[in-house]
Amino acid sequence: LERFIAVITEHFGGKWPFWLSPRQVLVIPVSKPYYDYANEVRDKLWDAGVYADVDNGPETMKKKILLGETSQYNFIFVVGQDEMDNRAVNVRNRDADKKARAEIMPLDDVVAKLVSLKAERRLENNI
């Protein structure tokens, strides 16, 4: 078992597939007024069986995103006023080429897609 874990760790280089990753989703609120919505998103993900964290720290949003990327989270969800009004999240994929503002998707759709991605045990992080 130990040898297998060593081989698979070396193979993925720390970028675990979604279904195996201990750091699946990081939710980042744009500012303090959106902390409650970020926690609500995290709770909804946890209830669906997805590992999710919220970064409510004092750092700037840019720094939080950078820390999430270096921590190898599969997906980073940024939430602000637009997302809260539409019950949605801004989805950033770790493996995407584009690192700027990503696609805004309804929260229920994202949760369903993440649960499906986890169940399918695919190696790519496409939702």
Side-chain angles (χ1 to χ4, degrees):
L1 181 63
E2 291 174 13
R3 189 170 287 170
F4 173 73
I5 292 173
V7 168
I8 198 168
T9 300
E10 185 175 334
H11 174 73
F12 288 120
K15 293 187 176 188
W16 297 96
F18 183 76
W19 61 274
L20 192 56
S21 179
R23 294 180 169 171
Q24 294 177 332
V25 178
L26 176 63
V27 183
I28 299 175
V30 173
S31 61
K32 279 191 177 187
Y34 311 109
Y35 283 8
D36 290 338
Y37 182 60
N39 288 324
E40 179 184 330
V41 170
R42 185 220 30 224
D43 293 343
K44 187 162 188 155
L45 291 167
W46 268 101
D47 292 344
V50 176
Y51 297 113
D53 297 320
V54 175
D55 189 346
N56 285 334
E59 296 87 9
T60 63
M61 187 180 73
K62 188 175 181 178
K63 178 76 173 182
K64 290 177 184 181
I65 292 171
L66 181 63
L67 289 172
E69 289 174 351
T70 57
S71 297
Q72 300 295 339
Y73 280 91
N74 293 72
F75 295 98
I76 297 174
F77 293 173
V78 179
V79 295
Q81 187 64 46
D82 292 343
E83 292 81 10
M84 191 170 73
D85 291 343
N86 297 318
R87 309 302 298 162
V89 290
N90 181 317
V91 180
R92 293 171 182 244
N93 187 337
R94 175 189 68 196
D95 298 334
D97 296 332
K98 181 179 161 188
K99 296 293 181 185
R101 182 178 171 103
E103 180 181 3
I104 295 177
M105 299 174 67
L107 181 58
D108 293 332
D109 293 351
V110 170
V111 171
K113 288 180 181 183
L114 290 177
V115 168
S116 173
L117 180 64
K118 189 172 183 176
E120 293 172 7
R121 296 188 174 189
R122 290 186 286 166
L123 295 180
E124 341 42 70
N125 281 329
N126 299 331
I127 59 170

